[in-house]
Amino acid sequence: MSETAPWKIVSFYRFLPLAGSELGAIQERWKELLAENGILGLMLLAEEGVNATLAGSPEAMDMVMRALCDEFSIPVERLKESFSRARPFKRLSVEVRSEIVTLKRPDLVPQDQDSSHLSPEEWHQLLLGEEEKIVIDTRNSFEIAAGRFPGAIDPGLTSFSEWGEYLDSALIPRDKTVMIYCTGGIRCEKAILEMRARGFEKVYQLQDGILGYFEKVPGGLFEGECFVFDDRVAVDQDLKPTQKFGICPGCGLTGSIPKTCERCQVGYFVCDSCKSTWGTLCSKACKSQVKKFRVS
Ligand SMILES: [Zn+2]
Ligand SMILES: [Zn+2]
């Protein structure tokens, strides 16, 4: 995607202690500043830190990201950037939560960067290497279905809070080299703490996740596309919005069956459960237009 695209999208997270008593004020301040600059997206604040994906004009994003990096001590090289022609979010929301990634373990807080973090380049080299290793995708199953690293295990999660349960039931040798990855790196920050608590000795995590890997190792080993949590649904390996998935107009979930709208000729994707009931229109708007026409 060219950098002249109207929307610049930046994802970032940072674990750092924020005082619970100040979260409300931080929330209000950023809500105002982001809204003033036409920024859309989702920003989560908790006592353990900040996690966000934001989108806006490239100029506005550069400005607010400088301010965010300052306030939350985020190294600029940790920002994950991409571009989109279509508006990726409908609104802005800045929320205070108990965790910035939901493992339902607010007590597990990652500390400073440690040696378990592999840069995308280091991750790539270790994957290519001869050493025996187990690769586990810590995302949910529906995300893994769209793409994964070769040989990666799908733990069958429908929610990240099932991770601990999975580790207890999976027969993974504690002394083997284990490599874990997720969308943007944040889930693995917590996943690894659960693993250490269970005696795993050699666990590595992909810093900045699949999105960081796409950016730093173009044409790498990942197979397929990566789901993102905005209206682009997924991105391909060039970080361009997917051509293979879309939001199903019937239910609002992910659709993968391509259709063309019989009213406006726009392409859209319907999901498996709506394919026989939804019909051949791209949206509720087109549906109501057709209904009006047929009635009058
Ligand atoms: Zn559907
Ligand atoms: Zn239509």
Side-chain angles (χ1 to χ4, degrees):
M1 181 72 48
S2 90
E3 306 217 347
T4 58
W7 292 94
K8 180 171 185 174
I9 303 156
V10 181
S11 304
F12 62 92
Y13 68 84
R14 175 83 168 149
F15 285 97
L16 81 170
L18 298 175
S21 57
E22 284 168 28
L23 285 176
I26 299 174
Q27 176 191 27
E28 285 314 307
R29 191 154 42 78
W30 280 104
K31 210 191 261 179
E32 205 179 302
L33 190 85
L34 295 172
E36 267 169 15
N37 287 282
I39 307 293
L40 302 176
L42 175 62
M43 177 162 158
L44 303 179
L45 293 160
E47 289 182 28
E48 65 182 11
V50 55
N51 178 18
T53 300
L54 300 173
S57 74
E59 304 72 39
M61 282 304 291
D62 291 348
M63 203 277 286
V64 302
M65 286 314 305
R66 269 197 298 276
L68 281 162
C69 286
D70 265 6
E71 174 154 343
F72 298 108
S73 326
I74 308 162
V76 177
E77 66 273 14
R78 300 294 314 282
L79 304 178
K80 296 171 285 283
E81 301 182 346
S82 54
F83 294 86
S84 174
R85 267 187 261 280
R87 183 166 88 159
F89 290 98
K90 289 182 184 63
R91 62 186 73 84
L92 169 69
S93 112
V94 181
E95 295 175 15
V96 172
R97 301 244 179 113
S98 61
E99 292 173 287
I100 54 172
V101 57
T102 307
L103 184 61
K104 298 195 176 134
R105 290 290 304 272
D107 55 310
L108 291 181
V109 180
Q111 299 305 318
D112 284 310
Q113 296 291 303
D114 62 35
S115 58
S116 72
H117 293 83
L118 298 184
S119 70
E121 294 86 354
E122 289 166 336
W123 172 271
H124 184 76
Q125 287 311 320
L126 186 56
L127 267 185
L128 286 174
E130 297 282 281
E131 190 186 338
E132 211 183 318
K133 60 248 164 190
I134 296 165
V135 184
I136 308 176
D137 195 318
T138 65
R139 299 173 301 155
N140 296 333
S141 284
F142 84 90
E143 300 172 79
I144 300 173
R148 68 171 94 183
F149 281 102
I153 295 169
D154 172 4
L157 310 181
T158 56
S159 131
F160 184 45
S161 52
E162 296 160 7
W163 175 246
E165 230 171 280
Y166 163 74
L167 291 174
D168 289 336
S169 64
L171 300 167
I172 308 165
R174 300 303 198 245
D175 56 344
K176 278 268 171 60
T177 296
V178 181
M179 301 169 71
I180 59 173
Y181 68 92
C182 61
T183 312
I186 186 169
R187 253 181 282 197
C188 290
E189 301 273 6
K190 289 212 170 183
I192 204 164
L193 300 182
E194 291 263 39
M195 297 184 79
R196 290 209 180 115
R198 286 167 176 79
F200 286 90
E201 287 158 17
K202 285 188 282 179
V203 190
Y204 298 99
Q205 54 181 316
L206 172 55
Q207 175 149 297
D208 300 325
I210 301 162
L211 297 179
Y213 183 82
F214 284 172
E215 203 177 316
K216 304 276 163 48
V217 189
L221 300 167
F222 193 86
E223 293 167 349
E225 299 193 332
C226 179
F227 273 94
V228 290
F229 299 92
D230 57 57
D231 287 356
R232 292 173 299 169
V233 182
V235 295
D236 66 18
Q237 302 197 15
D238 299 321
L239 292 164
K240 290 181 187 145
T242 183
Q243 306 289 321
K244 289 189 193 150
F245 302 96
I247 303 214
C248 169
C251 63
L253 300 177
T254 304
S256 60
I257 304 164
K259 298 275 182 189
T260 302
C261 178
E262 67 176 28
R263 176 173 177 268
C264 70
Q265 308 305 316
V266 153
Y268 67 99
F269 294 88
V270 79
C271 82
D272 211 44
S273 25
C274 296
K275 69 177 176 213
S276 49
T277 51
W278 174 257
T280 48
L281 294 158
C282 72
S283 60
K284 293 202 167 84
C286 272
K287 217 171 188 178
S288 70
Q289 287 300 317
V290 168
K291 215 185 276 170
K292 235 188 265 172
F293 179 73
R294 279 177 188 156
V295 169
S296 55

